[in-house]
Structures are given as structure tokens and as C-alpha cells.
Amino acid sequence: MTDILITDFTLIFLIFLRIFFALTTAPIYGHKAIPVLIKIFISFIISYILFSLLNKDAVVIQYDLGWLALNGFKEILTGLVIGFTLNLVFHGISFAGQLIGFQVGLAMATIFNPMEDSSTNVLGQVIYFLAMLIFFLINGHHYIIQALAASMTIVPLGTVAVKGTIVELLIKYSGAVFVIAIKIAAPILVSYFLIQIGEGILAKIIPQMQVFFVTYPLKLGIGILMLALLIPLYVSVVKNLLYEFESKMYVLVSALGN
């Protein structure tokens, strides 16, 4: 009877480590406004549900401190990979918002982003929360829980198979943050590049004119108008990016289990 209780406790503890660290780094669940005790409670509830569905006979447990430490590290790494991968999209979107705000002329109008513990401009924050809304609409918060449940099959408990391919994939996907930022900000960047060329030509033609002060309201109005027109395109792009990174997260988790 004692062995059964120790086995069940060990399994629940390993599952809890994976769930908790995934929720801590995942979008929505990792928000600073959610207290740590609430995250622990949610993680425990999900862990208990997954434990009840787990095939306990397939898990070989060794009552050894080294085995527990090694597998605990693997569960923490698996949870961090699941949460971190989806967050890459939002880091790219936040960076794109900073690029757009800088070009429009709102680089100094910054507000605090509680999700990333950083300051960003107003337009960047609007784009960021638009992405969060899309994440809700496509049930991304449900997908995180589904991914955690599926990871129990892909990366079974009690097995450690951490390879160098994980580091390569993480570096590759982290580099995609800059690609995402350029994709989202490209229409604004190209448009304002042409506007700046026009400002340079106008400054040469009329040297007495303070071109940058005269054209600033025009640039601000054009930027806001373009963003309003590009919202349907941004919705489609962000939705595709989220779906794409859901597939990439599956590849990462599969690399942990192989």
C-alpha cells in the first residue's frame, strides 16, 4: 500500500512539474495578473486529471534521487518548451509593433506591457492585444491544455531523451521572431521609406522649409489610416502564424520524446 502511494505521488509530481512550467511561460496563463497560487491550483487540477488517464503500468519508476532529479529536469524542460514556443509569436508581434510605432512617430508614447515586463509604444500594444484576442478566438488557450495532454503520449513519463536537436530547433524558431516582425511591419516600413525619400527631395527643393516638422502630422495620419486598412490582413497573418507555431511546438515536443 505504501509503495502504491509513493508511486502515485511521484507520477503526480512529475506531471505537475510539466504542467506548471508550461502554464507559467505560456500565453494567457503566464500573465502577471494571475497569482502564482492560482497557477499552482490549476496545474494541480490538470495534473490530477491527466494522472487519472495515465497508463501507470507503462511507467517504470525507480526509487532513486538521481532518477527523480533527472526526470524532474526533463519534465521542466518539456513544459518550458511548450509554453515558450507559443510565446515566440507574441514576442515577434511586440517587436513588429515597436518598429511600426517608431516609423509612425510614436516611439516616445510608451506604455507598460505586463505580459513581457517591458515598455512598448501605443501602436505596438494595440497590435499585441489584437493578437491576444485572435489567440482567444481560435481557442489557443484550449490548445495549450490539449498539447499538454498529448505530450504525455509523445514524451512519456520516466524516459529521458534530450538531444542536441532541441537546441537547434529552439535557435531556429527564436530567429523566426525577427522574420515575424518584418513580415508584419513590412507594409508600414516600405511606405515610410518612400515617404522619407520624398521628404529628402522636398528638403533639397525648399531648404528653408522645416520638412520633418511640417510632414509629421501627415505621417502620423497616414500611419493610423494604413493600420486601420491593414487590420483584416493582420488578423489573417497572426492567425496563420499561431497555427504554424502550434505545429512547430509539436515538432519540438516530438524531438524531446525521440
Side-chain angles (χ1 to χ4, degrees), residues 77-78 80-83 85-86 88 143 147-148 150-151 154-155 161-173 242-258:
L77 181 61
T78 304
L80 291 176
V81 165
I82 294 174
T85 305
L86 286 178
L88 288 176
Y143 182 82
L148 289 170
S151 70
I154 301 173
V155 188
V162 179
K163 300 180 180 179
T165 53
I166 295 296
V167 179
E168 296 176 4
L169 288 172
L170 285 175
I171 294 174
K172 178 182 177 181
Y173 295 161
L242 289 171
Y243 282 133
E244 178 184 349
F245 267 80
E246 287 175 356
S247 302
K248 290 181 177 179
M249 182 181 66
Y250 176 81
V251 174
L252 274 172
V253 174
S254 300
L256 280 172
N258 294 330

Side-chain angles (χ1 to χ4, degrees), residues 168-234:
E168 296 176 4
L169 288 172
L170 285 175
I171 294 174
K172 178 182 177 181
Y173 295 161
S174 298
V177 169
F178 301 97
V179 178
I180 292 171
I182 297 300
K183 282 182 179 179
I184 295 176
I188 303 294
L189 294 178
V190 173
S191 302
Y192 275 79
F193 177 72
L194 298 176
I195 292 174
Q196 289 167 0
I197 292 177
E199 288 178 339
I201 296 173
L202 187 61
K204 283 291 185 181
I205 296 174
I206 312 174
Q208 297 81 8
M209 179 185 293
Q210 297 292 333
V211 177
F212 297 104
F213 290 100
V214 173
T215 58
Y216 177 78
L218 178 63
K219 291 169 64 177
L220 185 60
I222 291 175
I224 295 175
L225 178 62
M226 287 191 63
L227 282 175
L229 295 176
L230 289 172
I231 282 179
L233 176 63
Y234 281 158

